[in-house]
Amino acid sequence: NAGVMQNPRHLVRRRGQEARLRCSPMKGHSHVYWYRQLPEEGLKFMVYLQKENIIDESGMPKERFSAEFPKEGPSILRIQQVVRGDSAAYFCASSLAGTGEGAFFGQGTRLTVV
Amino acid sequence: KQEVTQIPAALSVPEGENLVLNCSFTDSAIYNLQWFRQDPGKGLTSLLLIQSSQREQTSGRLNASLDKSSGRSTLYIAASQPGDSATYLCAVSSSTNAGKSTFGDGTTLTVKP
Protein backbone atom coordinates (compact mmCIF):
# COMPACT_ATOMS: atom_id res chain seq x y z
CA ASN A 1 0.00 0.00 0.00
CA ALA A 2 1.86 3.04 -1.24
CA GLY A 3 1.77 6.10 0.92
CA VAL A 4 0.56 9.54 -0.08
CA MET A 5 2.29 10.42 -3.33
CA GLN A 6 3.03 13.98 -4.31
CA ASN A 7 4.58 15.19 -7.53
CA PRO A 8 6.62 16.87 -8.53
CA ARG A 9 8.91 16.93 -5.51
CA HIS A 10 10.48 20.18 -6.65
CA LEU A 11 8.96 22.77 -8.94
CA VAL A 12 10.49 25.99 -10.22
CA ARG A 13 8.29 28.61 -11.80
CA ARG A 14 8.88 32.13 -13.01
CA ARG A 15 6.72 34.91 -11.66
CA GLY A 16 3.40 34.98 -13.50
CA GLN A 17 3.40 31.32 -14.48
CA GLU A 18 1.03 28.66 -13.21
CA ALA A 19 1.96 25.92 -10.76
CA ARG A 20 0.09 22.61 -10.59
CA LEU A 21 0.79 20.32 -7.66
CA ARG A 22 -0.53 16.77 -7.60
CA CYS A 23 -1.44 14.49 -4.74
CA SER A 24 -2.53 10.87 -4.86
CA PRO A 25 -3.97 9.78 -1.50
CA MET A 26 -3.37 6.46 0.13
CA LYS A 27 -5.40 3.62 -1.28
CA GLY A 28 -8.89 3.69 0.16
CA HIS A 29 -8.62 7.26 1.45
CA SER A 30 -11.20 9.67 0.10
CA HIS A 31 -10.28 12.69 2.23
CA VAL A 32 -7.46 14.96 1.13
CA TYR A 33 -5.94 17.99 2.88
CA TRP A 34 -3.45 20.53 1.61
CA TYR A 35 -1.07 22.42 3.88
CA ARG A 36 1.52 25.09 3.16
CA GLN A 37 4.77 25.53 5.02
CA LEU A 38 6.52 28.85 4.56
CA PRO A 39 10.24 29.00 5.35
CA GLU A 40 10.97 28.70 9.06
CA GLU A 41 7.28 28.26 9.90
CA GLY A 42 4.92 25.44 10.79
CA LEU A 43 2.34 23.96 8.47
CA LYS A 44 -0.82 25.95 7.82
CA PHE A 45 -4.05 24.30 6.71
CA MET A 46 -5.28 25.38 3.29
CA VAL A 47 -8.13 23.18 2.10
CA TYR A 48 -9.96 19.93 2.77
CA LEU A 49 -11.54 18.00 -0.08
CA GLN A 50 -13.49 14.86 -0.62
CA LYS A 51 -14.12 13.37 -4.02
CA GLU A 52 -15.63 16.10 -6.23
CA ASN A 53 -16.32 18.34 -3.22
CA ILE A 54 -14.52 21.11 -1.39
CA ILE A 55 -15.45 20.70 2.26
CA ASP A 56 -13.41 23.42 3.93
CA GLU A 57 -11.34 26.03 2.14
CA SER A 58 -10.97 28.40 5.05
CA GLY A 59 -7.18 28.46 4.71
CA MET A 60 -7.00 29.15 1.00
CA PRO A 61 -5.91 32.58 -0.21
CA LYS A 62 -8.85 34.35 -1.83
CA GLU A 63 -7.19 34.79 -5.20
CA ARG A 64 -5.04 32.72 -7.54
CA PHE A 65 -5.33 29.48 -5.55
CA SER A 66 -7.73 26.65 -6.33
CA ALA A 67 -7.99 22.96 -5.51
CA GLU A 68 -9.88 20.02 -6.86
CA PHE A 69 -10.24 16.31 -6.17
CA PRO A 70 -11.97 14.74 -9.15
CA LYS A 71 -13.79 11.45 -9.17
CA GLU A 72 -10.85 9.89 -10.97
CA GLY A 73 -7.24 10.89 -10.60
CA PRO A 74 -5.19 12.85 -8.10
CA SER A 75 -6.05 15.97 -6.19
CA ILE A 76 -4.64 19.11 -7.79
CA LEU A 77 -3.59 22.33 -6.09
CA ARG A 78 -3.35 25.06 -8.69
CA ILE A 79 -1.65 28.41 -8.22
CA GLN A 80 -2.11 30.92 -10.97
CA GLN A 81 0.21 33.86 -11.68
CA VAL A 82 2.70 32.80 -9.03
CA VAL A 83 4.59 35.41 -7.01
CA ARG A 84 7.77 35.04 -4.95
CA GLY A 85 5.72 34.86 -1.76
CA ASP A 86 4.20 31.58 -2.99
CA SER A 87 7.60 29.89 -2.58
CA ALA A 88 7.00 27.26 0.07
CA ALA A 89 6.63 23.56 0.70
CA TYR A 90 3.14 22.27 -0.03
CA PHE A 91 2.11 19.12 1.77
CA CYS A 92 -0.80 16.86 1.06
CA ALA A 93 -2.34 14.49 3.58
CA SER A 94 -5.05 11.89 3.33
CA SER A 95 -7.19 10.13 5.89
CA LEU A 96 -10.10 7.89 6.59
CA ALA A 97 -12.11 10.56 8.36
CA GLY A 98 -13.58 9.56 11.68
CA THR A 99 -11.32 6.60 12.30
CA GLY A 100 -9.04 8.51 14.61
CA GLU A 101 -5.92 7.11 13.05
CA GLY A 102 -4.82 10.52 11.96
CA ALA A 103 -3.70 11.71 8.60
CA PHE A 104 -0.83 10.40 6.51
CA PHE A 105 1.38 12.99 4.87
CA GLY A 106 3.18 13.02 1.56
CA GLN A 107 6.78 14.15 1.11
CA GLY A 108 5.70 17.55 -0.13
CA THR A 109 6.29 19.66 -3.20
CA ARG A 110 8.80 22.45 -2.85
CA LEU A 111 7.81 25.35 -5.03
CA THR A 112 10.37 27.99 -5.86
CA VAL A 113 9.28 31.10 -7.70
CA VAL A 114 12.09 32.94 -9.44
CA LYS B 1 -9.81 29.35 16.78
CA GLN B 2 -7.25 26.75 17.81
CA GLU B 3 -3.72 27.97 18.42
CA VAL B 4 -0.76 25.68 19.03
CA THR B 5 2.45 26.86 20.64
CA GLN B 6 5.70 24.94 20.97
CA ILE B 7 8.38 25.84 23.45
CA PRO B 8 11.31 26.11 23.12
CA ALA B 9 11.75 27.08 19.49
CA ALA B 10 15.23 25.57 19.52
CA LEU B 11 17.08 23.26 21.85
CA SER B 12 20.66 22.02 21.88
CA VAL B 13 21.73 19.18 24.15
CA PRO B 14 24.70 16.84 24.51
CA GLU B 15 24.30 13.26 23.42
CA GLY B 16 22.78 10.95 26.01
CA GLU B 17 20.68 13.57 27.72
CA ASN B 18 16.97 13.09 28.36
CA LEU B 19 14.82 15.97 27.13
CA VAL B 20 11.26 17.25 27.01
CA LEU B 21 9.56 19.20 24.25
CA ASN B 22 6.43 21.14 25.07
CA CYS B 23 3.25 21.81 23.14
CA SER B 24 0.28 23.83 24.32
CA PHE B 25 -3.08 24.41 22.66
CA THR B 26 -5.89 26.84 23.40
CA ASP B 27 -9.00 24.76 22.65
CA SER B 28 -9.24 21.57 24.70
CA ALA B 29 -11.96 20.10 22.46
CA ILE B 30 -9.48 18.10 20.43
CA TYR B 31 -9.92 14.91 18.48
CA ASN B 32 -6.31 13.79 18.64
CA LEU B 33 -2.79 15.13 18.97
CA GLN B 34 0.12 14.01 16.85
CA TRP B 35 3.87 14.53 17.08
CA PHE B 36 5.87 14.62 13.86
CA ARG B 37 9.51 14.76 13.00
CA GLN B 38 10.75 16.81 10.06
CA ASP B 39 14.30 16.69 8.74
CA PRO B 40 15.61 19.69 6.78
CA GLY B 41 14.05 19.84 3.32
CA LYS B 42 12.12 16.65 3.93
CA GLY B 43 8.56 15.57 4.61
CA LEU B 44 6.85 14.67 7.86
CA THR B 45 7.34 11.46 9.78
CA SER B 46 4.62 10.64 12.27
CA LEU B 47 6.09 9.70 15.65
CA LEU B 48 3.16 9.30 18.01
CA LEU B 49 -0.58 9.90 17.91
CA ILE B 50 -2.61 10.32 21.08
CA GLN B 51 -6.37 10.08 20.95
CA SER B 52 -8.30 12.58 23.04
CA SER B 53 -9.31 9.79 25.43
CA GLN B 54 -5.71 8.71 26.04
CA ARG B 55 -3.12 10.09 28.43
CA GLU B 56 0.09 8.92 26.77
CA GLN B 57 1.70 6.89 24.03
CA THR B 58 5.13 5.30 23.89
CA SER B 59 7.35 4.19 21.06
CA GLY B 60 10.90 3.13 21.80
CA ARG B 61 12.74 6.04 23.41
CA LEU B 62 9.81 8.39 22.83
CA ASN B 63 6.95 9.05 25.18
CA ALA B 64 4.19 11.57 24.55
CA SER B 65 1.71 12.68 27.17
CA LEU B 66 -1.54 14.56 26.84
CA ASP B 67 -3.39 16.67 29.40
CA LYS B 68 -6.48 17.93 27.64
CA SER B 69 -7.81 19.93 30.56
CA SER B 70 -4.69 22.07 30.75
CA GLY B 71 -4.14 22.11 27.00
CA ARG B 72 -0.69 20.60 27.13
CA SER B 73 1.32 17.80 25.61
CA THR B 74 4.93 16.82 26.12
CA LEU B 75 7.27 14.71 24.05
CA TYR B 76 9.92 13.01 26.12
CA ILE B 77 13.04 11.72 24.37
CA ALA B 78 15.25 9.42 26.40
CA ALA B 79 18.98 9.00 25.89
CA SER B 80 19.15 11.42 22.98
CA GLN B 81 21.33 10.63 19.97
CA PRO B 82 22.75 12.83 17.19
CA GLY B 83 20.32 11.11 14.82
CA ASP B 84 17.46 12.65 16.80
CA SER B 85 18.45 16.08 15.49
CA ALA B 86 15.45 17.40 13.57
CA THR B 87 12.46 19.70 13.93
CA TYR B 88 9.61 18.28 15.99
CA LEU B 89 6.09 19.41 15.18
CA CYS B 90 3.00 19.11 17.31
CA ALA B 91 -0.37 18.98 15.52
CA VAL B 92 -3.84 19.09 17.03
CA SER B 93 -6.98 17.90 15.32
CA SER B 94 -9.87 19.88 16.75
CA SER B 95 -12.90 18.46 15.03
CA THR B 96 -14.44 15.12 14.27
CA ASN B 97 -12.25 15.15 11.18
CA ALA B 98 -8.97 13.41 11.91
CA GLY B 99 -7.14 15.03 9.03
CA LYS B 100 -7.59 18.75 9.59
CA SER B 101 -4.93 19.83 12.00
CA THR B 102 -3.44 22.94 13.51
CA PHE B 103 0.34 22.79 13.73
CA GLY B 104 2.79 24.48 16.03
CA ASP B 105 5.87 26.14 14.55
CA GLY B 106 8.07 23.35 15.86
CA THR B 107 11.06 22.85 18.10
CA THR B 108 14.40 22.43 16.34
CA LEU B 109 16.51 19.95 18.27
CA THR B 110 20.25 19.59 17.93
CA VAL B 111 21.96 16.70 19.72
CA LYS B 112 25.71 17.18 19.88
CA PRO B 113 28.02 14.15 19.84
Side-chain angles (χ1 to χ4, degrees), chain A residues 30 32 47-56 67-70:
Chain A
S30 60
V32 166
V47 62
Y48 161 40
L49 310 103
Q50 295 180 22
K51 288 283 188 181
E52 300 184 281
N53 285 301
I54 296 174
I55 307 303
D56 182 344
E68 63 176 7
F69 189 16

Side-chain angles (χ1 to χ4, degrees), chain A residues 64-93:
Chain A
R64 301 187 298 107
F65 285 72
S66 63
E68 63 176 7
F69 189 16
K71 185 177 181 180
E72 301 291 337
S75 175
I76 306 289
L77 179 67
R78 182 183 178 201
I79 311 173
Q80 295 178 292
Q81 300 175 346
V82 296
V83 301
R84 289 220 170 106
D86 297 332
S87 295
Y90 292 83
F91 289 93
C92 169

Side-chain angles (χ1 to χ4, degrees), chain B:
Chain B
K1 178 186 174 185
Q2 180 74 271
E3 294 182 3
V4 179
T5 303
Q6 292 187 244
I7 294 174
L11 180 64
S12 180
V13 300
E15 182 177 3
E17 197 162 289
N18 302 324
L19 59 101
V20 174
L21 307 182
N22 297 291
C23 171
S24 61
F25 46 94
T26 55
D27 184 353
S28 62
I30 67 170
Y31 191 62
N32 60 41
L33 183 145
Q34 201 161 1
W35 283 92
F36 293 89
R37 168 184 173 141
Q38 185 176 32
D39 292 283
K42 303 293 185 182
L44 302 178
T45 300
S46 178
L47 298 173
L48 291 164
L49 181 146
I50 311 176
Q51 303 290 353
S52 61
S53 59
Q54 298 175 323
R55 298 278 299 181
E56 66 176 340
Q57 284 286 340
T58 297
S59 176
R61 294 183 292 109
L62 304 180
N63 175 276
S65 68
L66 173 63
D67 184 343
K68 261 194 353 175
S69 60
S70 66
R72 295 177 188 275
S73 175
T74 60
L75 178 66
Y76 175 81
I77 303 176
S80 58
Q81 303 170 357
D84 294 331
S85 298
T87 296
Y88 291 81
L89 297 169
C90 169
V92 173
S93 173
S94 296
S95 68
T96 55
N97 189 312
K100 182 183 176 184
S101 295
T102 302
F103 281 78
D105 286 344
T107 293
T108 299
L109 172 65
T110 302
V111 180
K112 298 179 178 178

Side-chain angles (χ1 to χ4, degrees), chain A residues 29-47:
Chain A
H29 287 190
S30 60
H31 302 260
V32 166
Y33 314 83
W34 286 93
Y35 291 82
R36 177 167 67 173
Q37 186 178 33
L38 294 169
E40 308 301 323
E41 295 187 14
L43 279 73
K44 298 292 190 284
F45 169 79
M46 299 181 74
V47 62

